[in-house]
Amino acid sequence: MSYSELLHNTAIRPFLLEMRIGLEKESQRVDLAGNLAQSDHPKTLGSRTFHPYIQTDFAETQVELITPVTNSPKEALRKLAMIHDVIYRSMDPEEMLWPLSMPPALPDEEDQIMIAKLKTKEDVLYRRYLAKVYGKRKQMVSGIHVNIELGQKFMTTLHQLANSPVSLDAFRTQVYLHLAQQYLHYRYVYTYLFGASPLPEKNYCLSDAPHDYVRSIRNSKAGYQNKEALHVSFESFDQYCQDLKQLVAQGKLIEEKEFYSAVRLRQGKGKEYLKDAIRYIELRNVDLNPFEAVGINEEQLVFIQVFLLYLLTQEAPSDVDAFLQLGEQYNQQVAMEHPAKESALQEEVIRIIDELVALVKELDLPVEQAWLKKWQKMARQPQATLASEYIAKLKKQTQHELATQLGRQYHEKAWAHPYQLAGYRHMELSTQIMMFDAIQKGVAVEVLDEVDQFIKLTYDGQTEYVKKANMTSKDNYVVPLIMENKVVTKKVLAASHFRVPQGAEYQDLASALRDYPKYAQGKVVIKPKSTNYGLGITIFKEAMSQADYQKALEIAFKEDIDVLVEEYFAGTEYRFFVINGQTKAIMLRVPANVKGDGVHTIRELVEQKNQDILRGTHHRYPLEKIQLGDIEALMLKEQGYDFETILPKDVTAWLRENSNISTGGDSIDMTDEIPDDYKQIAAQAVEALGAKISGIDLIIPDYHQSATAPDAYGIIEANFNPAMHMHAYPYQGKGRRLTLEVLQMLFPTLKI
């Protein structure tokens, strides 16, 4: 039974597109004017010796971004976008990534091209060898390698349906060999559709180009190919391996990886891989798409997936060598044709794409109809291909101008929200920052649960699980339970002789209302017992009406079934962030407020202030937008205002009494201003609670006086999951990268 018949079996339909994908993307670092960078690989990144995501290729300026293996094109692109953000914001802000496969203008002298400054002698010698044999200029060409592993369920089902007498591993190897043979023959179809390196820049030699523009220099003989025609058989995996070893033994290759085929047969790594089995294939003929910030898009990856399925349905060649040699000729021909003109293989391209589209429909694959129509249009109209669309842009500007313009756009996008991480911007901001810092330093990151902000970190063989950026294995299970319960927190701290507020706990509104006379003169705080982020808190500094007291209780009971009414400590509230026994940051959080201009209403002033790019919602921005709800209305009422009041010039209206950033407050770093004795108090209080990480809130009337003075401070709350993003990007003052401190605590050998 043929592969084509097997693919049409309903038993295998659910698994057809379940392919594992890993991307390796090369790019040149350039300055914002599009000139090759003169700087070394960014020092902020972890060592290239072990970094799982960011390496350098041939040159010091040529970064290589490596995604983890993913289960879909969409997920692969998310990972690539994530790593892209990290490399962009790890480079000099005046540098960007060149968006083309062909390098920018190269130095007049090859000696001026810096070979990657790697630590291992073998890596350096290998690159020196390449420079000597091929010249440095060709080594500067960049692209994307797409690693494809057919899904386990797909393979096992296909194996069963085929009733194959060989083992699953041997069968898998047969399938990959078939795909490799077919891809090497038909890769000209991909070159025709998505080739995107039509023009070289200064000092890249292209003497035999038949036109001003071609489809893909990179995929032609003028691109990245071996110095001479090398015969490596793809007829069997054993022969493939033997031929490579023989070429190395003969000195025609210095290492097996010097074989620059458009397809590599890969065995993978680890004990689970057998020496005689192919585990995945590496497709190496993908040019950078200049119109995509990460150099490739979902459409291209989906095309590769369905193209491989189509190739699987094709008949095996009777003469593999002749079949592959013809494919090489076809690809060279297509690569060097003018992108906007008909190809010599136009009819073949049309036939193949039409058959591919028909197969997609027969198999009912979930591929966007718009893409199918686009591929058919590209097959019939060369002007619709990627290279042709690209050269159309060159009618009004040079390639250098266009590439620099595109590069700047992607650079600006990466820096527009430097506190967010591309691909994961919907996650809580502190977690995004933690992921960024971990990736930057070479710690492997796996997102286990995006909704719950649960990630897995691995470094140097050690694994740590982290929830919401700072909930780690270093804190015992009971610690967050203590801090979640404000009554227990107070009792534990009071037992250790820390000053905490006195008050009472209520389980129902009626009981709390009966005690109104106790608190009528004010100076009380009404808050939920176990909530966080400052929700449901009302503060009265002066006498309050029974109606206002009841309203505050109702607000608190909306957040929890238990409510606290406590004495109010006069002074300024500061958030002390303690990590591993040391106060690492102190934040003054100014309650939500607006300053009047004598023209606009308070509602309008809030709308204006909320336009700040630092302000957003759901903890994905350093500052939260100010809300206009019941609590804010009650607060304004105490000041004699409402939302429609036109506030006099330079008069401040306070919309919240509590100073939480999560309720619209402003953040001001005070770490260097607060004396050490207060920092020690905070650290000791966290230690008394048994915690390694905590945000503890102190009320301090005057931090210039000693912390040992009577009533010098009061501890009003401890937080088991304190936000870190507000310390990293404060409204005012120095940013404190607390996520790095957490990483250092988790991985003591990690260099920060």
Side-chain angles (χ1 to χ4, degrees):
M1 190 178 293
S2 69
Y3 288 134
S4 180
E5 293 174 293
L6 295 175
L7 291 187
H8 283 78
N9 191 299
T10 55
I12 203 170
R13 291 280 184 90
F15 314 118
L16 291 176
L17 291 181
E18 289 188 1
M19 302 180 188
R20 286 164 58 78
I21 301 173
L23 303 177
E24 302 168 47
K25 189 238 184 185
E26 305 149 346
S27 290
Q28 293 288 349
R29 288 186 295 111
V30 297
D31 63 25
L32 296 184
N35 304 308
L36 196 65
Q38 300 299 308
S39 60
D40 289 347
H41 188 70
K43 290 183 172 58
T44 52
L45 296 168
S47 171
R48 286 173 276 184
T49 304
F50 64 81
H51 205 296
Y53 305 122
I54 302 173
Q55 298 281 333
T56 45
D57 200 80
F58 170 79
E60 186 69 5
T61 57
Q62 191 175 32
V63 297
E64 182 178 12
L65 309 182
I66 306 165
T67 72
V69 178
T70 63
N71 293 318
S72 70
K74 193 181 295 292
E75 188 63 21
L77 291 170
R78 287 180 71 198
K79 301 296 186 188
L80 186 56
M82 170 184 75
I83 301 169
H84 241 259
D85 257 15
V86 174
I87 186 63
Y88 256 110
R89 300 205 296 267
S90 298
M91 298 189 301
D92 186 304
E94 297 301 311
E95 289 182 358
M96 63 183 184
L97 296 181
W98 187 246
L100 308 181
S101 276
M102 299 309 293
L106 297 172
D108 293 334
E109 301 296 330
E110 276 202 346
D111 289 346
Q112 294 177 297
I113 297 175
M114 294 184 290
I115 292 176
K117 300 176 181 178
L118 302 176
K119 289 186 177 181
T120 60
K121 183 179 179 181
E122 293 78 8
D123 287 335
V124 173
L125 290 177
Y126 177 64
R127 283 161 175 75
R128 288 178 180 173
Y129 162 82
L130 295 178
K132 181 179 179 181
V133 174
Y134 298 93
K136 291 183 177 181
R137 303 189 193 285
K138 283 196 174 184
Q139 301 295 319
M140 301 295 278
V141 177
S142 298
I144 292 182
H145 299 174
V146 180
N147 298 283
I148 297 280
E149 179 183 357
L150 301 176
Q152 183 67 20
K153 278 284 189 180
F154 172 85
M155 268 305 178
T156 54
T157 306
L158 193 68
H159 183 238
Q160 292 168 0
L161 292 174
N163 197 25
S164 174
V166 303
S167 69
L168 178 60
D169 285 304
F171 180 78
R172 180 186 288 110
T173 295
Q174 292 174 359
V175 172
Y176 282 127
L177 270 172
H178 180 80
L179 284 178
Q181 295 165 4
Q182 297 295 324
Y183 194 89
L184 286 170
H185 179 81
Y186 288 108
R187 72 183 187 274
Y188 67 84
V189 176
Y190 187 89
T191 301
Y192 170 86
L193 296 174
F194 299 111
S197 51
L199 186 68
E201 283 294 298
K202 178 184 175 185
N203 288 331
Y204 188 93
C205 181
L206 187 62
S207 57
D208 56 348
H211 314 282
D212 292 338
Y213 303 113
V214 299
R215 285 199 176 89
S216 179
I217 297 172
R218 178 175 170 272
N219 282 297
S220 73
K221 291 180 181 178
Y224 200 57
Q225 296 198 356
N226 290 106
K227 60 183 182 293
E228 60 177 288
L230 301 175
H231 180 265
V232 175
S233 175
F234 280 79
E235 191 155 358
S236 73
F237 188 45
D238 285 343
Q239 192 61 52
Y240 173 86
C241 295
Q242 288 177 23
D243 287 350
L244 284 177
K245 291 177 181 177
Q246 186 174 8
L247 288 171
V248 173
Q250 293 171 345
K252 293 183 178 181
L253 296 176
I254 192 171
E255 294 183 34
E256 292 178 10
K257 65 182 179 182
E258 190 194 341
F259 178 52
Y260 300 134
S261 172
V263 178
R264 275 184 180 166
L265 308 178
R266 309 292 278 183
Q267 294 175 275
K269 299 176 181 178
K271 296 179 180 179
E272 73 275 16
Y273 293 108
L274 301 177
K275 292 182 179 180
D276 58 349
I278 303 171
R279 291 294 164 169
Y280 65 95
I281 55 174
E282 178 185 359
L283 310 179
R284 299 162 52 82
N285 66 321
V286 179
D287 287 346
L288 296 183
N289 184 336
F291 302 122
E292 297 293 338
V294 298
I296 193 169
N297 58 33
E298 186 179 2
E299 176 199 347
Q300 290 174 268
L301 289 177
V302 171
F303 177 83
I304 289 173
Q305 285 185 305
V306 297
F307 190 42
L308 290 176
L309 291 178
Y310 169 79
L311 295 178
L312 196 55
T313 67
Q314 301 305 294
E315 291 185 7
S318 57
D319 186 335
V320 173
D321 286 346
F323 187 64
L324 269 55
Q325 186 176 0
L326 184 59
E328 180 70 30
Q329 294 172 8
Y330 285 167
N331 189 70
Q332 171 67 15
Q333 186 173 17
V334 171
M336 296 303 284
E337 290 173 336
H338 193 288
K341 297 180 180 179
E342 280 200 4
S343 170
L345 296 170
Q346 197 76 41
E347 292 304 316
E348 275 297 289
V349 172
I350 293 172
R351 177 186 66 81
I352 291 167
I353 294 300
D354 283 350
E355 290 178 357
L356 180 147
V357 170
L359 181 67
V360 168
K361 293 179 179 178
E362 288 170 15
L363 300 178
D364 194 26
L365 298 177
V367 178
E368 292 190 21
Q369 292 299 309
W371 291 346
L372 299 178
K373 291 179 180 178
K374 180 181 176 182
W375 300 339
Q376 288 184 309
K377 179 180 179 181
M378 294 166 77
R380 288 164 171 78
Q381 300 177 23
Q383 299 82 2
T385 60
L386 182 56
S388 189
E389 284 189 2
Y390 176 75
I391 66 170
K393 301 282 187 182
L394 301 182
K395 293 178 180 178
K396 297 182 180 180
Q397 57 189 148
T398 67
Q399 175 168 264
H400 177 84
E401 291 170 340
L402 175 59
T404 302
Q405 174 187 324
L406 292 171
R408 280 176 171 267
Q409 289 176 11
Y410 307 147
H411 175 271
E412 290 169 5
K413 181 180 178 181
W415 281 99
H417 298 287
Y419 39 82
Q420 294 180 345
L421 186 62
Y424 295 87
R425 292 192 173 105
H426 61 285
M427 294 184 73
E428 186 268 336
L429 189 55
S430 292
T431 301
Q432 292 185 53
I433 296 172
M434 165 66 78
M435 291 169 63
F436 179 99
D437 287 346
I439 292 167
Q440 185 184 63
K441 299 304 177 186
V443 177
V445 176
E446 180 182 351
V447 179
L448 300 176
D449 189 319
E450 295 183 30
V451 175
D452 214 21
Q453 320 295 320
F454 228 123
I455 62 176
K456 174 184 175 182
L457 304 176
T458 305
Y459 175 77
D460 196 24
Q462 176 188 345
T463 295
E464 293 286 344
Y465 297 94
V466 180
K467 180 176 178 178
K468 295 183 179 178
N470 57 36
M471 299 174 69
T472 76
S473 63
K474 304 305 177 184
D475 278 319
N476 293 326
Y477 177 74
V478 74
V479 169
L481 300 180
I482 291 173
M483 287 188 280
E484 185 179 31
N485 188 311
K486 292 176 172 57
V487 172
V488 174
T489 299
K490 284 199 305 178
K491 289 181 177 179
V492 171
L493 291 175
S496 296
H497 309 294
F498 294 99
R499 183 174 179 243
V500 294
Q502 301 300 309
E505 176 183 351
Y506 300 94
Q507 283 76 41
D508 60 85
L509 180 62
S511 298
L513 287 174
R514 280 195 296 270
D515 281 350
Y516 166 70
K518 295 181 181 179
Y519 312 118
Q521 297 307 307
K523 293 188 177 182
V524 296
V525 179
I526 300 173
K527 61 183 179 182
K529 176 182 177 181
S530 301
T531 191
N532 207 343
Y533 301 119
L535 300 176
I537 297 175
T538 305
I539 299 174
F540 294 100
K541 296 181 181 178
E542 298 175 352
M544 59 188 165
S545 69
Q546 187 165 359
D548 287 347
Y549 174 68
Q550 179 172 340
K551 182 67 174 178
L553 288 169
E554 290 171 349
I555 291 171
F557 273 115
K558 283 181 180 179
E559 301 297 335
D560 200 352
I561 59 173
D562 297 315
V563 166
L564 304 179
V565 181
E566 298 178 336
E567 67 175 308
Y568 167 73
F569 283 162
T572 303
E573 180 183 343
Y574 299 93
R575 161 64 59 82
F576 286 68
F577 203 112
V578 177
I579 300 177
N580 207 21
Q582 293 184 324
T583 296
K584 295 293 185 178
I586 303 173
M587 184 68 68
L588 167 62
R589 296 168 297 170
V590 179
N593 67 89
V594 289
K595 182 177 288 189
D597 59 8
V599 177
H600 294 92
T601 65
I602 290 176
R603 185 187 302 276
E604 291 168 338
L605 292 171
V606 168
E607 290 174 356
Q608 291 174 12
K609 191 166 186 177
N610 281 342
Q611 295 304 309
D612 189 330
I613 62 170
L614 292 179
R615 291 191 183 273
T617 59
H618 300 97
H619 314 292
R620 296 180 180 90
Y621 295 78
L623 300 171
E624 288 289 305
K625 289 182 180 291
I626 300 171
Q627 304 298 315
L628 295 178
D630 291 342
I631 295 178
E632 289 79 10
L634 188 59
M635 185 69 187
L636 288 174
K637 179 183 176 182
E638 291 184 1
Q639 301 166 75
Y641 306 136
D642 60 31
F643 295 146
E644 308 310 322
T645 300
I646 295 177
L647 202 59
K649 185 175 176 59
D650 295 331
V651 172
T652 297
W654 302 96
L655 292 110
R656 280 271 182 162
E657 184 68 45
N658 65 292
S659 56
N660 298 68
I661 302 304
S662 58
T663 54
D666 299 330
S667 53
I668 302 174
D669 179 70
M670 296 291 290
T671 311
D672 295 333
E673 283 73 27
I674 303 294
D676 287 344
D677 53 354
Y678 287 99
K679 296 175 182 177
Q680 292 168 6
I681 291 288
Q684 290 164 3
V686 170
E687 183 180 7
L689 293 168
K692 290 292 184 181
I693 298 176
S694 177
I696 192 157
D697 298 336
L698 274 67
I699 297 291
I700 303 175
D702 180 7
Y703 64 76
H704 294 99
Q705 69 173 337
S706 171
T708 59
D711 299 338
Y713 74 91
I715 299 177
I716 59 170
E717 192 166 296
N719 297 272
F720 64 86
N721 180 223
M724 295 189 287
H725 59 264
M726 66 180 181
H727 295 278
Y729 297 95
Y731 181 74
Q732 180 179 322
K734 180 180 178 180
R736 311 283 172 173
R737 205 78 179 188
L738 298 177
T739 41
L740 289 174
E741 300 286 352
V742 175
L743 286 171
Q744 185 75 82
M745 181 186 73
L746 295 175
F747 305 103
T749 61
L750 182 67
K751 293 183 179 179
I752 300 299

